[in-house]
mmCIF file of all heavy atoms in Angstrom:
data_model
loop_
_atom_site.group_PDB
_atom_site.id
_atom_site.type_symbol
_atom_site.label_atom_id
_atom_site.label_comp_id
_atom_site.label_asym_id
_atom_site.label_seq_id
_atom_site.Cartn_x
_atom_site.Cartn_y
_atom_site.Cartn_z
ATOM 1 N N SER A 1198 51.562 125.286 97.807
ATOM 2 C CA SER A 1198 51.821 123.857 98.020
ATOM 3 C C SER A 1198 52.580 123.642 99.317
ATOM 4 O O SER A 1198 52.304 122.689 100.066
ATOM 5 C CB SER A 1198 52.603 123.278 96.838
ATOM 6 O OG SER A 1198 53.951 123.737 96.831
ATOM 7 N N LEU A 1199 53.549 124.526 99.588
ATOM 8 C CA LEU A 1199 54.273 124.416 100.848
ATOM 9 C C LEU A 1199 53.346 124.668 102.018
ATOM 10 O O LEU A 1199 53.458 124.021 103.080
ATOM 11 C CB LEU A 1199 55.430 125.422 100.871
ATOM 12 C CG LEU A 1199 56.239 125.505 102.166
ATOM 13 C CD1 LEU A 1199 56.933 124.179 102.445
ATOM 14 C CD2 LEU A 1199 57.253 126.635 102.102
ATOM 15 N N LEU A 1200 52.410 125.597 101.853
ATOM 16 C CA LEU A 1200 51.499 125.953 102.936
ATOM 17 C C LEU A 1200 50.632 124.769 103.346
ATOM 18 O O LEU A 1200 50.486 124.478 104.540
ATOM 19 C CB LEU A 1200 50.625 127.137 102.527
ATOM 20 C CG LEU A 1200 49.621 127.622 103.575
ATOM 21 C CD1 LEU A 1200 50.358 128.127 104.807
ATOM 22 C CD2 LEU A 1200 48.724 128.714 103.003
ATOM 23 N N ILE A 1201 50.054 124.064 102.372
ATOM 24 C CA ILE A 1201 49.162 122.966 102.742
ATOM 25 C C ILE A 1201 49.945 121.810 103.370
ATOM 26 O O ILE A 1201 49.464 121.155 104.300
ATOM 27 C CB ILE A 1201 48.313 122.473 101.548
ATOM 28 C CG1 ILE A 1201 49.182 121.982 100.389
ATOM 29 C CG2 ILE A 1201 47.364 123.545 101.087
ATOM 30 C CD1 ILE A 1201 48.398 121.362 99.262
ATOM 31 N N VAL A 1202 51.180 121.581 102.893
ATOM 32 C CA VAL A 1202 51.980 120.500 103.481
ATOM 33 C C VAL A 1202 52.403 120.872 104.895
ATOM 34 O O VAL A 1202 52.282 120.077 105.828
ATOM 35 C CB VAL A 1202 53.208 120.208 102.594
ATOM 36 C CG1 VAL A 1202 54.138 119.223 103.293
ATOM 37 C CG2 VAL A 1202 52.777 119.645 101.247
ATOM 38 N N SER A 1203 52.910 122.103 105.087
ATOM 39 C CA SER A 1203 53.383 122.523 106.411
ATOM 40 C C SER A 1203 52.216 122.709 107.372
ATOM 41 O O SER A 1203 52.303 122.337 108.551
ATOM 42 C CB SER A 1203 54.170 123.835 106.290
ATOM 43 O OG SER A 1203 55.278 123.688 105.445
ATOM 44 N N LEU A 1204 51.131 123.292 106.876
ATOM 45 C CA LEU A 1204 49.955 123.503 107.729
ATOM 46 C C LEU A 1204 49.398 122.172 108.209
ATOM 47 O O LEU A 1204 49.001 122.023 109.370
ATOM 48 C CB LEU A 1204 48.897 124.279 106.955
ATOM 49 C CG LEU A 1204 47.745 124.900 107.749
ATOM 50 C CD1 LEU A 1204 48.265 126.022 108.623
ATOM 51 C CD2 LEU A 1204 46.671 125.437 106.801
ATOM 52 N N ASP A 1205 49.384 121.198 107.305
ATOM 53 C CA ASP A 1205 48.890 119.871 107.658
ATOM 54 C C ASP A 1205 49.725 119.264 108.778
ATOM 55 O O ASP A 1205 49.198 118.680 109.726
ATOM 56 C CB ASP A 1205 48.927 118.980 106.413
ATOM 57 C CG ASP A 1205 48.364 117.593 106.674
ATOM 58 O OD1 ASP A 1205 47.144 117.434 106.614
ATOM 59 O OD2 ASP A 1205 49.164 116.672 106.933
ATOM 60 N N THR A 1206 51.051 119.431 108.702
ATOM 61 C CA THR A 1206 51.944 118.845 109.702
ATOM 62 C C THR A 1206 51.794 119.521 111.055
ATOM 63 O O THR A 1206 51.667 118.857 112.094
ATOM 64 C CB THR A 1206 53.400 118.948 109.226
ATOM 65 O OG1 THR A 1206 53.541 118.243 107.987
ATOM 66 C CG2 THR A 1206 54.352 118.347 110.252
ATOM 67 N N THR A 1207 51.812 120.864 111.069
ATOM 68 C CA THR A 1207 51.741 121.579 112.346
ATOM 69 C C THR A 1207 50.369 121.421 112.999
ATOM 70 O O THR A 1207 50.269 121.265 114.215
ATOM 71 C CB THR A 1207 52.053 123.070 112.147
ATOM 72 O OG1 THR A 1207 51.205 123.616 111.119
ATOM 73 C CG2 THR A 1207 53.493 123.272 111.743
ATOM 74 N N ILE A 1231 52.556 110.288 111.709
ATOM 75 C CA ILE A 1231 53.491 111.277 111.158
ATOM 76 C C ILE A 1231 54.624 110.586 110.422
ATOM 77 O O ILE A 1231 55.012 110.980 109.319
ATOM 78 C CB ILE A 1231 54.048 112.168 112.289
ATOM 79 C CG1 ILE A 1231 52.911 112.970 112.924
ATOM 80 C CG2 ILE A 1231 55.126 113.114 111.767
ATOM 81 C CD1 ILE A 1231 53.320 113.768 114.136
ATOM 82 N N ASP A 1232 55.152 109.493 111.011
ATOM 83 C CA ASP A 1232 56.347 108.867 110.458
ATOM 84 C C ASP A 1232 56.083 108.068 109.183
ATOM 85 O O ASP A 1232 56.977 107.937 108.340
ATOM 86 C CB ASP A 1232 56.986 107.959 111.506
ATOM 87 C CG ASP A 1232 57.520 108.748 112.691
ATOM 88 O OD1 ASP A 1232 57.753 109.961 112.517
ATOM 89 O OD2 ASP A 1232 57.687 108.172 113.774
ATOM 90 N N TYR A 1234 54.129 108.997 106.853
ATOM 91 C CA TYR A 1234 54.210 110.053 105.827
ATOM 92 C C TYR A 1234 55.671 110.333 105.496
ATOM 93 O O TYR A 1234 56.061 110.413 104.326
ATOM 94 C CB TYR A 1234 53.518 111.309 106.355
ATOM 95 C CG TYR A 1234 53.525 112.488 105.415
ATOM 96 C CD1 TYR A 1234 52.472 112.685 104.530
ATOM 97 C CD2 TYR A 1234 54.556 113.396 105.421
ATOM 98 C CE1 TYR A 1234 52.472 113.765 103.667
ATOM 99 C CE2 TYR A 1234 54.572 114.477 104.563
ATOM 100 C CZ TYR A 1234 53.521 114.666 103.692
ATOM 101 O OH TYR A 1234 53.542 115.744 102.835
ATOM 102 N N THR A 1235 56.493 110.475 106.540
ATOM 103 C CA THR A 1235 57.909 110.770 106.336
ATOM 104 C C THR A 1235 58.615 109.656 105.590
ATOM 105 O O THR A 1235 59.439 109.898 104.697
ATOM 106 C CB THR A 1235 58.586 110.998 107.698
ATOM 107 O OG1 THR A 1235 57.940 112.063 108.382
ATOM 108 C CG2 THR A 1235 60.052 111.337 107.540
ATOM 109 N N LEU A 1238 57.587 109.699 101.907
ATOM 110 C CA LEU A 1238 58.091 110.929 101.292
ATOM 111 C C LEU A 1238 59.583 110.837 101.023
ATOM 112 O O LEU A 1238 60.056 111.156 99.930
ATOM 113 C CB LEU A 1238 57.780 112.111 102.206
ATOM 114 C CG LEU A 1238 57.923 113.514 101.607
ATOM 115 C CD1 LEU A 1238 56.838 113.758 100.575
ATOM 116 C CD2 LEU A 1238 57.839 114.576 102.702
ATOM 117 N N LEU A 1242 61.156 111.159 97.026
ATOM 118 C CA LEU A 1242 61.529 112.518 96.621
ATOM 119 C C LEU A 1242 62.471 112.521 95.422
ATOM 120 O O LEU A 1242 62.304 113.329 94.490
ATOM 121 C CB LEU A 1242 62.177 113.249 97.800
ATOM 122 C CG LEU A 1242 61.219 113.836 98.839
ATOM 123 C CD1 LEU A 1242 61.980 114.281 100.077
ATOM 124 C CD2 LEU A 1242 60.431 115.001 98.262
ATOM 125 N N PHE A 1265 47.773 114.691 96.748
ATOM 126 C CA PHE A 1265 47.768 115.185 98.123
ATOM 127 C C PHE A 1265 46.354 115.561 98.561
ATOM 128 O O PHE A 1265 45.945 115.293 99.695
ATOM 129 C CB PHE A 1265 48.688 116.397 98.254
ATOM 130 C CG PHE A 1265 48.943 116.813 99.682
ATOM 131 C CD1 PHE A 1265 49.957 116.228 100.414
ATOM 132 C CD2 PHE A 1265 48.160 117.783 100.287
ATOM 133 C CE1 PHE A 1265 50.192 116.596 101.729
ATOM 134 C CE2 PHE A 1265 48.381 118.161 101.605
ATOM 135 C CZ PHE A 1265 49.396 117.562 102.325
ATOM 136 N N ARG A 1285 47.651 108.482 105.039
ATOM 137 C CA ARG A 1285 48.758 109.421 105.159
ATOM 138 C C ARG A 1285 49.868 109.084 104.167
ATOM 139 O O ARG A 1285 50.556 109.972 103.652
ATOM 140 C CB ARG A 1285 49.302 109.385 106.581
ATOM 141 C CG ARG A 1285 48.442 110.082 107.608
ATOM 142 C CD ARG A 1285 48.605 111.586 107.559
ATOM 143 N NE ARG A 1285 49.904 111.985 108.084
ATOM 144 C CZ ARG A 1285 50.432 113.189 107.915
ATOM 145 N NH1 ARG A 1285 49.795 114.098 107.204
ATOM 146 N NH2 ARG A 1285 51.609 113.478 108.426
ATOM 147 N N GLY A 1292 52.789 114.482 98.278
ATOM 148 C CA GLY A 1292 53.705 115.461 98.855
ATOM 149 C C GLY A 1292 55.096 115.377 98.275
ATOM 150 O O GLY A 1292 55.794 116.398 98.170
ATOM 151 N N ASN A 1296 56.953 119.907 97.180
ATOM 152 C CA ASN A 1296 57.970 120.860 97.603
ATOM 153 C C ASN A 1296 59.238 120.854 96.752
ATOM 154 O O ASN A 1296 59.706 121.916 96.335
ATOM 155 C CB ASN A 1296 58.308 120.642 99.081
ATOM 156 C CG ASN A 1296 57.184 121.127 99.987
ATOM 157 O OD1 ASN A 1296 56.191 121.674 99.524
ATOM 158 N ND2 ASN A 1296 57.332 120.911 101.276
ATOM 159 N N VAL A 1324 56.744 128.856 105.992
ATOM 160 C CA VAL A 1324 56.868 127.916 107.109
ATOM 161 C C VAL A 1324 56.468 128.607 108.407
ATOM 162 O O VAL A 1324 55.789 128.025 109.259
ATOM 163 C CB VAL A 1324 58.308 127.368 107.201
ATOM 164 C CG1 VAL A 1324 58.466 126.447 108.406
ATOM 165 C CG2 VAL A 1324 58.677 126.634 105.922
ATOM 166 N N SER A 1327 52.728 128.857 108.524
ATOM 167 C CA SER A 1327 52.122 127.571 108.893
ATOM 168 C C SER A 1327 52.340 127.274 110.366
ATOM 169 O O SER A 1327 51.480 126.687 111.027
ATOM 170 C CB SER A 1327 52.697 126.444 108.031
ATOM 171 O OG SER A 1327 54.053 126.194 108.355
ATOM 172 N N ALA A 1450 70.684 120.837 107.220
ATOM 173 C CA ALA A 1450 69.248 120.563 107.107
ATOM 174 C C ALA A 1450 68.840 119.392 107.989
ATOM 175 O O ALA A 1450 67.791 119.420 108.649
ATOM 176 C CB ALA A 1450 68.878 120.286 105.653
ATOM 177 N N ILE A 1451 69.665 118.341 108.017
ATOM 178 C CA ILE A 1451 69.352 117.186 108.857
ATOM 179 C C ILE A 1451 69.260 117.597 110.320
ATOM 180 O O ILE A 1451 68.308 117.251 111.038
ATOM 181 C CB ILE A 1451 70.421 116.085 108.671
ATOM 182 C CG1 ILE A 1451 70.327 115.494 107.253
ATOM 183 C CG2 ILE A 1451 70.253 114.982 109.712
ATOM 184 C CD1 ILE A 1451 71.449 114.529 106.918
ATOM 185 N N ALA A 1453 68.835 120.701 111.629
ATOM 186 C CA ALA A 1453 67.791 121.692 111.911
ATOM 187 C C ALA A 1453 66.406 121.070 111.924
ATOM 188 O O ALA A 1453 65.588 121.354 112.813
ATOM 189 C CB ALA A 1453 67.859 122.821 110.878
ATOM 190 N N PHE A 1454 66.125 120.206 110.951
ATOM 191 C CA PHE A 1454 64.784 119.628 110.882
ATOM 192 C C PHE A 1454 64.593 118.504 111.895
ATOM 193 O O PHE A 1454 63.461 118.205 112.277
ATOM 194 C CB PHE A 1454 64.482 119.179 109.453
ATOM 195 C CG PHE A 1454 64.052 120.309 108.568
ATOM 196 C CD1 PHE A 1454 64.992 121.142 107.997
ATOM 197 C CD2 PHE A 1454 62.719 120.565 108.326
ATOM 198 C CE1 PHE A 1454 64.611 122.211 107.205
ATOM 199 C CE2 PHE A 1454 62.319 121.630 107.539
ATOM 200 C CZ PHE A 1454 63.266 122.459 106.974
ATOM 201 N N ALA A 1455 65.692 117.883 112.340
ATOM 202 C CA ALA A 1455 65.575 116.951 113.461
ATOM 203 C C ALA A 1455 65.128 117.705 114.706
ATOM 204 O O ALA A 1455 64.258 117.251 115.457
ATOM 205 C CB ALA A 1455 66.915 116.257 113.712
ATOM 206 N N ALA A 1456 65.728 118.865 114.918
ATOM 207 C CA ALA A 1456 65.348 119.683 116.070
ATOM 208 C C ALA A 1456 63.891 120.136 115.970
ATOM 209 O O ALA A 1456 63.141 120.078 116.947
ATOM 210 C CB ALA A 1456 66.270 120.901 116.166
ATOM 211 N N LEU A 1457 63.470 120.581 114.783
ATOM 212 C CA LEU A 1457 62.098 121.058 114.614
ATOM 213 C C LEU A 1457 61.088 119.938 114.826
ATOM 214 O O LEU A 1457 60.083 120.113 115.531
ATOM 215 C CB LEU A 1457 61.914 121.672 113.227
ATOM 216 C CG LEU A 1457 60.486 122.151 112.904
ATOM 217 C CD1 LEU A 1457 60.106 123.316 113.815
ATOM 218 C CD2 LEU A 1457 60.351 122.544 111.445
ATOM 219 N N GLY A 1458 61.346 118.765 114.205
ATOM 220 C CA GLY A 1458 60.397 117.661 114.324
ATOM 221 C C GLY A 1458 60.210 117.221 115.772
ATOM 222 O O GLY A 1458 59.090 117.058 116.253
ATOM 223 N N GLY A 1459 61.324 117.035 116.487
ATOM 224 C CA GLY A 1459 61.218 116.640 117.876
ATOM 225 C C GLY A 1459 60.603 117.722 118.746
ATOM 226 O O GLY A 1459 59.825 117.435 119.660
ATOM 227 N N LEU A 1461 58.380 120.083 117.916
ATOM 228 C CA LEU A 1461 56.931 120.164 117.719
ATOM 229 C C LEU A 1461 56.206 119.003 118.393
ATOM 230 O O LEU A 1461 55.203 119.191 119.085
ATOM 231 C CB LEU A 1461 56.604 120.186 116.225
ATOM 232 C CG LEU A 1461 56.848 121.476 115.458
ATOM 233 C CD1 LEU A 1461 56.550 121.271 113.983
ATOM 234 C CD2 LEU A 1461 55.995 122.601 116.012
ATOM 235 N N PHE A 1547 65.339 128.886 113.783
ATOM 236 C CA PHE A 1547 64.822 128.154 112.624
ATOM 237 C C PHE A 1547 64.417 129.113 111.510
ATOM 238 O O PHE A 1547 64.509 128.774 110.326
ATOM 239 C CB PHE A 1547 63.641 127.276 113.026
ATOM 240 C CG PHE A 1547 63.299 126.263 111.978
ATOM 241 C CD1 PHE A 1547 64.008 125.078 111.897
ATOM 242 C CD2 PHE A 1547 62.295 126.499 111.052
ATOM 243 C CE1 PHE A 1547 63.712 124.148 110.908
ATOM 244 C CE2 PHE A 1547 61.997 125.581 110.072
ATOM 245 C CZ PHE A 1547 62.712 124.393 109.998
ATOM 246 N N ASN A 1551 66.432 128.243 107.208
ATOM 247 C CA ASN A 1551 65.860 127.592 106.035
ATOM 248 C C ASN A 1551 66.320 128.222 104.723
ATOM 249 O O ASN A 1551 66.670 127.517 103.767
ATOM 250 C CB ASN A 1551 64.333 127.601 106.128
ATOM 251 C CG ASN A 1551 63.705 126.446 105.376
ATOM 252 O OD1 ASN A 1551 64.290 125.368 105.278
ATOM 253 N ND2 ASN A 1551 62.530 126.660 104.844
ATOM 254 N N SER A 1575 65.569 118.287 99.895
ATOM 255 C CA SER A 1575 64.357 117.950 100.649
ATOM 256 C C SER A 1575 64.493 116.609 101.354
ATOM 257 O O SER A 1575 64.019 116.430 102.472
ATOM 258 C CB SER A 1575 63.146 117.919 99.710
ATOM 259 O OG SER A 1575 62.901 119.197 99.163
ATOM 260 N N THR A 1576 65.147 115.644 100.692
ATOM 261 C CA THR A 1576 65.311 114.322 101.291
ATOM 262 C C THR A 1576 66.124 114.409 102.573
ATOM 263 O O THR A 1576 65.864 113.693 103.535
ATOM 264 C CB THR A 1576 65.996 113.369 100.298
ATOM 265 O OG1 THR A 1576 65.208 113.295 99.104
ATOM 266 C CG2 THR A 1576 66.135 111.975 100.878
ATOM 267 N N SER A 1577 67.114 115.305 102.605
ATOM 268 C CA SER A 1577 67.950 115.429 103.794
ATOM 269 C C SER A 1577 67.152 115.864 105.004
ATOM 270 O O SER A 1577 67.556 115.645 106.143
ATOM 271 C CB SER A 1577 69.077 116.441 103.540
ATOM 272 O OG SER A 1577 68.553 117.752 103.375
ATOM 273 N N ARG A 1578 65.983 116.473 104.789
ATOM 274 C CA ARG A 1578 65.153 116.921 105.897
ATOM 275 C C ARG A 1578 64.290 115.789 106.460
ATOM 276 O O ARG A 1578 63.874 115.854 107.602
ATOM 277 C CB ARG A 1578 64.208 118.040 105.439
ATOM 278 C CG ARG A 1578 64.913 119.336 105.042
ATOM 279 C CD ARG A 1578 63.992 120.151 104.151
ATOM 280 N NE ARG A 1578 64.358 121.531 104.019
ATOM 281 C CZ ARG A 1578 65.270 122.011 103.203
ATOM 282 N NH1 ARG A 1578 65.960 121.183 102.456
ATOM 283 N NH2 ARG A 1578 65.526 123.305 103.140
ATOM 284 N N GLN A 1579 63.994 114.764 105.665
ATOM 285 C CA GLN A 1579 62.930 113.840 106.044
ATOM 286 C C GLN A 1579 63.294 112.879 107.162
ATOM 287 O O GLN A 1579 62.523 112.726 108.094
ATOM 288 C CB GLN A 1579 62.451 113.060 104.806
ATOM 289 C CG GLN A 1579 61.947 113.955 103.699
ATOM 290 C CD GLN A 1579 60.983 115.011 104.179
ATOM 291 O OE1 GLN A 1579 60.094 114.743 104.972
ATOM 292 N NE2 GLN A 1579 61.153 116.248 103.700
ATOM 293 N N PRO A 1580 64.427 112.156 107.125
ATOM 294 C CA PRO A 1580 64.692 111.242 108.231
ATOM 295 C C PRO A 1580 64.808 111.990 109.543
ATOM 296 O O PRO A 1580 64.586 111.417 110.603
ATOM 297 C CB PRO A 1580 66.021 110.588 107.835
ATOM 298 C CG PRO A 1580 66.072 110.719 106.351
ATOM 299 C CD PRO A 1580 65.407 112.040 106.061
ATOM 300 N N ALA A 1581 65.168 113.276 109.495
ATOM 301 C CA ALA A 1581 65.275 114.058 110.713
ATOM 302 C C ALA A 1581 63.915 114.407 111.274
ATOM 303 O O ALA A 1581 63.746 114.523 112.472
ATOM 304 C CB ALA A 1581 66.021 115.349 110.418
ATOM 305 N N GLU A 1582 63.015 114.637 110.529
ATOM 306 C CA GLU A 1582 61.729 115.102 110.973
ATOM 307 C C GLU A 1582 60.733 114.088 111.451
ATOM 308 O O GLU A 1582 60.713 113.026 110.982
ATOM 309 C CB GLU A 1582 61.149 115.811 109.769
ATOM 310 C CG GLU A 1582 60.313 116.873 110.038
ATOM 311 C CD GLU A 1582 59.691 117.694 109.036
ATOM 312 O OE1 GLU A 1582 60.043 117.776 107.862
ATOM 313 O OE2 GLU A 1582 58.802 118.278 109.535
ATOM 314 N N ARG A 1583 60.816 116.800 109.237
ATOM 315 C CA ARG A 1583 60.418 117.434 108.057
ATOM 316 C C ARG A 1583 60.787 118.843 107.986
ATOM 317 O O ARG A 1583 60.401 119.518 108.121
ATOM 318 C CB ARG A 1583 59.008 117.367 107.937
ATOM 319 C CG ARG A 1583 58.589 117.421 106.431
ATOM 320 C CD ARG A 1583 57.379 117.615 106.274
ATOM 321 N NE ARG A 1583 56.727 118.522 105.830
ATOM 322 C CZ ARG A 1583 56.567 119.684 105.548
ATOM 323 N NH1 ARG A 1583 56.845 119.967 105.633
ATOM 324 N NH2 ARG A 1583 55.913 120.331 105.144
#
Side-chain angles (χ1 to χ4, degrees):
S1198 72
L1199 176 63
L1200 180 63
I1201 59 174
V1202 172
S1203 300
L1204 195 68
D1205 183 84
T1206 300
T1207 53
I1231 296 174
D1232 294 339
Y1234 180 92
T1235 302
L1238 194 69
L1242 280 169
F1265 191 86
R1285 285 282 288 166
N1296 287 357
V1324 177
S1327 69
I1451 292 173
F1454 279 81
L1457 177 66
L1461 284 176
F1547 194 82
N1551 207 32
S1575 296
T1576 302
S1577 67
R1578 294 159 163 82
Q1579 302 312 316
E1582 211 178 342
R1583 207 193 113 336

